PDB file of all heavy atoms in Angstrom:
ATOM      1  N   ASN A 213     143.751 154.043  36.521  1.00 91.00           N
ATOM      2  CA  ASN A 213     144.495 153.884  35.280  1.00 91.00           C
ATOM      3  C   ASN A 213     143.680 153.042  34.304  1.00 91.00           C
ATOM      4  O   ASN A 213     143.599 153.329  33.123  1.00 91.00           O
ATOM      5  CB  ASN A 213     145.809 153.192  35.611  1.00 91.00           C
ATOM      6  CG  ASN A 213     146.936 153.831  34.880  1.00 91.00           C
ATOM      7  OD1 ASN A 213     146.737 154.513  33.868  1.00 91.00           O
ATOM      8  ND2 ASN A 213     148.126 153.606  35.365  1.00 91.00           N
ATOM      9  N   GLY A 214     143.074 151.987  34.844  1.00 93.00           N
ATOM     10  CA  GLY A 214     142.023 151.283  34.118  1.00 93.00           C
ATOM     11  C   GLY A 214     140.712 151.849  34.645  1.00 93.00           C
ATOM     12  O   GLY A 214     140.643 152.233  35.805  1.00 93.00           O
ATOM     13  N   ASP A 285     149.555 159.364  33.236  1.00 95.00           N
ATOM     14  CA  ASP A 285     149.203 159.760  34.599  1.00 95.00           C
ATOM     15  C   ASP A 285     148.411 161.061  34.571  1.00 95.00           C
ATOM     16  O   ASP A 285     148.862 162.071  34.033  1.00 95.00           O
ATOM     17  CB  ASP A 285     150.484 159.928  35.431  1.00 95.00           C
ATOM     18  CG  ASP A 285     150.161 160.038  36.905  1.00 95.00           C
ATOM     19  OD1 ASP A 285     149.456 160.995  37.298  1.00 95.00           O
ATOM     20  OD2 ASP A 285     150.603 159.167  37.665  1.00 95.00           O
ATOM     21  N   ALA A 286     147.217 161.002  35.179  1.00 96.00           N
ATOM     22  CA  ALA A 286     146.307 162.152  35.126  1.00 96.00           C
ATOM     23  C   ALA A 286     146.920 163.408  35.751  1.00 96.00           C
ATOM     24  O   ALA A 286     146.567 164.528  35.377  1.00 96.00           O
ATOM     25  CB  ALA A 286     145.001 161.811  35.818  1.00 96.00           C
ATOM     26  N   GLY A 333     141.803 155.986  41.786  1.00 94.00           N
ATOM     27  CA  GLY A 333     142.752 157.107  41.781  1.00 94.00           C
ATOM     28  C   GLY A 333     142.211 158.419  41.240  1.00 94.00           C
ATOM     29  O   GLY A 333     142.294 159.458  41.909  1.00 94.00           O
ATOM     30  N   MET A 334     141.631 158.392  40.052  1.00 96.00           N
ATOM     31  CA  MET A 334     141.133 159.636  39.462  1.00 96.00           C
ATOM     32  C   MET A 334     139.773 160.023  40.012  1.00 96.00           C
ATOM     33  O   MET A 334     139.504 161.193  40.266  1.00 96.00           O
ATOM     34  CB  MET A 334     141.068 159.488  37.943  1.00 96.00           C
ATOM     35  CG  MET A 334     142.454 159.449  37.333  1.00 96.00           C
ATOM     36  SD  MET A 334     142.443 158.826  35.656  1.00 96.00           S
ATOM     37  CE  MET A 334     141.289 159.927  34.911  1.00 96.00           C
ATOM     38  N   ASN A 337     140.405 161.543  43.415  1.00 95.00           N
ATOM     39  CA  ASN A 337     141.306 162.697  43.565  1.00 95.00           C
ATOM     40  C   ASN A 337     141.185 163.820  42.543  1.00 95.00           C
ATOM     41  O   ASN A 337     141.724 164.896  42.757  1.00 95.00           O
ATOM     42  CB  ASN A 337     142.764 162.215  43.523  1.00 95.00           C
ATOM     43  CG  ASN A 337     143.080 161.289  44.681  1.00 95.00           C
ATOM     44  OD1 ASN A 337     142.993 161.693  45.825  1.00 95.00           O
ATOM     45  ND2 ASN A 337     143.410 160.053  44.371  1.00 95.00           N
TER      46      ASN A 337
HETATM   47  P1  LIG B   8     145.135 151.481  38.881  1.00 96.84           P
HETATM   48  O1  LIG B   8     144.821 150.808  40.195  1.00 96.84           O
HETATM   49  O2  LIG B   8     144.161 151.161  37.785  1.00 96.84           O
HETATM   50  O3  LIG B   8     146.560 151.383  38.444  1.00 96.84           O
HETATM   51  P2  LIG B   8     144.625 153.955  40.346  1.00 96.84           P
HETATM   52  O4  LIG B   8     143.263 153.708  40.888  1.00 96.84           O
HETATM   53  O5  LIG B   8     145.779 153.916  41.276  1.00 96.84           O
HETATM   54  O6  LIG B   8     144.903 153.034  39.075  1.00 96.84           O
HETATM   55  O7  LIG B   8     144.590 155.389  39.612  1.00 96.84           O
HETATM   56  C1  LIG B   8     145.677 155.915  38.954  1.00 96.84           C
HETATM   57  C2  LIG B   8     145.305 157.288  38.388  1.00 96.84           C
HETATM   58  O8  LIG B   8     144.845 158.114  39.461  1.00 96.84           O
HETATM   59  C3  LIG B   8     146.485 158.005  37.742  1.00 96.84           C
HETATM   60  O9  LIG B   8     146.072 158.603  36.529  1.00 96.84           O
HETATM   61  C4  LIG B   8     146.825 159.075  38.766  1.00 96.84           C
HETATM   62  O10 LIG B   8     147.286 160.238  38.126  1.00 96.84           O
HETATM   63  C5  LIG B   8     145.498 159.366  39.418  1.00 96.84           C
HETATM   64  N1  LIG B   8     145.752 159.884  40.783  1.00 96.84           N
HETATM   65  C6  LIG B   8     146.163 159.197  41.851  1.00 96.84           C
HETATM   66  N2  LIG B   8     146.331 160.020  42.924  1.00 96.84           N
HETATM   67  C7  LIG B   8     146.033 161.266  42.499  1.00 96.84           C
HETATM   68  C8  LIG B   8     146.001 162.545  43.114  1.00 96.84           C
HETATM   69  N3  LIG B   8     146.322 162.721  44.407  1.00 96.84           N
HETATM   70  N4  LIG B   8     145.618 163.603  42.364  1.00 96.84           N
HETATM   71  C9  LIG B   8     145.277 163.444  41.070  1.00 96.84           C
HETATM   72  N5  LIG B   8     145.287 162.262  40.417  1.00 96.84           N
HETATM   73  C10 LIG B   8     145.652 161.182  41.116  1.00 96.84           C
END
Side-chain angles (χ1 to χ4, degrees):
N213 223 339
D285 192 298
M334 289 164 55
N337 297 298

